[in-house]
Amino acid sequence: MRKTSNLSPEHISDIVHMALSDHVSFATIQAEYGLGEKDVKALMRDTLKAGSYKTWRKRVRVFGDRRETYK
């Protein structure tokens, strides 16, 4: 079972907002909620619509290639 199954809806909402932000890294989310990058991606996949998830992943991937410290 995933770590995210123990989270309240409020925490899931906070994590989604943090992950969608361009200013919050995966390391910050892990420090605050204990979820690694793979867990955050799985949570986003389960929470967002398919198109929104694909757009988010593309943005994270493209900016990650440009800036070493992004996400």
Side-chain angles (χ1 to χ4, degrees):
M1 194 148 239
R2 292 184 185 156
K3 292 180 182 181
T4 58
S5 63
N6 297 332
L7 295 172
S8 70
E10 292 83 18
H11 285 142
I12 291 172
S13 178
D14 289 344
I15 294 167
V16 169
H17 283 102
M18 290 172 76
L20 288 172
S21 170
D22 292 338
H23 303 291
V24 179
S25 68
F26 287 121
T28 303
I29 296 171
Q30 184 168 15
E32 190 165 336
Y33 291 99
L35 297 177
E37 183 176 340
K38 288 183 179 184
D39 296 322
V40 173
K41 289 176 185 176
L43 175 68
M44 296 295 279
R45 189 179 314 110
D46 293 342
T47 305
L48 299 177
K49 293 179 183 177
S52 298
Y53 175 77
K54 289 177 185 176
T55 302
W56 173 74
R57 285 296 300 135
K58 182 178 179 183
R59 191 175 83 234
V60 169
R61 191 171 32 255
V62 168
F63 280 105
D65 291 344
R66 290 187 202 164
R67 293 190 330 207
E68 186 176 314
T69 58
Y70 186 80
K71 295 275 186 205

